[in-house]
Amino acid sequence: MHAASRDALDQTREALTSALAANPAGGATGAKVGQELFQVVDVLEDNRSLRVAVADTSAPVEARQDLVRGVFGWKVDQTTLDLLLAAVSADWSNPRELREGLILLGREALLRSAEQQDQLQTVEDELFRLGRIVAGDAEFEQALADKTTPADAKRALLAQVLYGKVTAVTEALASQAVARPSGMPADDFMEISRQAAELRGRAVAVVTSAEPLTSQQADDLRGRLASIYGRELAIHNDVDPALLGGAVVRVGDEIIDGSVAGRLDALRRTLR
């Protein structure tokens, strides 16, 4: 995202934060705004001329806002409409980045609704586990990623797997991701999980271990990593028996390999 669009996103995010603070409603407002923003994105994706017009920085702000009122004023609640008006009044670098910004804000609104319901960490963990499950099933992931398959069909396929097993917010976010993927579905689920962690003020440490971490092990590791990185980290545990023992920790692009397999590999290299 270009610098101008990042500024536009920050401005619109401030409007979202203020709107949700003024109308918390136990998370209902955030859920409503998030779902409606995704519906707006659907309309913009189906109408190129509209998509270009609302992001046209050469046009007066009032003209862009009037266009949004005319198209969406009767389709969305006032809170969502006010947020859209704030979005189109900002200077996005191009229509694609406006679309991307609305998706990010829709996800954040839903995550904020989970936060209001004390479910944000649960949603974060559910999305991480979903990402790992999908990444481990190539056939299923390909079905979700197939661009020739209608979005409704992919949503229905995912719903069969998720129904009754995850929170409503997780299901809504996952459904949105498969309807308009930015990459492979597993990567998109993991990215939204990271967005949830960031809302909790945490970076993500993906810890791959030979066996699932116990609560005590996760707490101990969290403390050690916090002392190394100077901030709290969310621990996402992945299991790979091939590691034999120990763990591999990934924080961003940095990898700490403390696995038995990793140490054996290092020893083999020294003996060559």
Side-chain angles (χ1 to χ4, degrees), residues 6-21:
R6 289 197 298 270
D7 290 342
L9 178 60
D10 288 341
Q11 293 170 26
T12 314
R13 179 177 285 119
E14 290 178 6
L16 172 64
T17 301
S18 297
L20 297 183

Side-chain angles (χ1 to χ4, degrees), residues 12 14 20 24 55 60 65 75 97 110 132 162 178 183 191 219 226 237:
T12 314
E14 290 178 6
L20 297 183
Q65 290 182 327
K75 293 182 178 179
E97 293 186 353
L110 280 162
R132 301 313 300 160
L162 299 183
V178 298
E191 180 58 36
D219 288 342
N237 186 205

